[in-house]
Amino acid sequence: MSKIAINISPNSPFNKCILLLRRYTGLGITEIKSKIENKDFFAETDANDLDNMENLKELVDNLLKLNANLKIFDSNEYGEGIFNYQEISYNEFINNINRLKEIMEELQDYDDATTDEV
């Protein structure tokens, strides 16, 4: 299972981002500040869950509007429980979401076609 996560640079405008991050993560201010200072991941989500990916996109877009310095990471599983994160661009992130939407649509079309046959 692949995951997507973000981290935020300590140079980001903390005061502007705090409410948005609290709303999305449910973490307290101290925890958020600690994650930013330690360059920990925020909002880690399943890369195959379209709803979660779109929510993460909304968070990323809002953080970018606030001039936050953030990085997006994609993981590839190379064994049970081991994830190796690699930084991806915003465009790659959007392409992942679009590809997931296309797959979901194709699966729905296939499901509709097989249902019609019965």
Side-chain angles (χ1 to χ4, degrees):
M1 173 176 67
S2 182
K3 292 188 178 253
I4 300 285
I6 62 171
N7 77 6
I8 300 170
S9 168
N11 299 334
S12 293
F14 178 75
N15 293 334
K16 291 181 181 180
C17 300
I18 192 73
L19 291 175
L20 185 61
L21 291 169
R22 268 193 89 192
R23 194 172 349 145
Y24 186 88
T25 64
L27 297 173
I29 294 172
T30 305
E31 292 172 290
I32 292 171
K33 186 175 181 182
S34 175
K35 282 186 173 281
I36 290 173
E37 289 171 351
N38 295 323
K39 298 180 182 177
D40 287 340
F41 292 123
F42 277 98
E44 187 175 48
T45 190
D46 180 358
N48 296 317
D49 186 324
L50 183 58
D51 291 336
N52 287 342
M53 290 287 284
E54 287 181 333
N55 287 338
L56 183 59
K57 180 191 176 300
E58 183 179 338
L59 174 64
V60 167
D61 288 343
N62 287 328
L63 287 168
L64 290 173
K65 286 178 189 173
L66 296 173
N67 295 321
N69 297 323
L70 61 88
K71 293 181 181 180
I72 305 169
F73 294 89
D74 186 7
S75 73
N76 293 315
E77 191 172 6
Y78 294 110
E80 193 170 321
I82 300 171
F83 290 93
N84 182 20
Y85 281 98
Q86 296 179 345
E87 185 176 353
I88 61 172
S89 70
Y90 179 79
N91 287 336
E92 288 174 299
F93 173 60
I94 297 303
N95 287 341
N96 286 344
I97 293 172
N98 291 336
R99 185 177 62 239
L100 187 56
K101 283 180 186 178
E102 289 173 9
I103 291 169
M104 298 302 280
E105 288 171 6
E106 288 175 11
L107 288 172
Q108 184 63 46
D109 290 345
Y110 176 76
D111 190 42
D112 290 345
T114 57
T115 303
D116 291 342
E117 290 176 6
V118 174

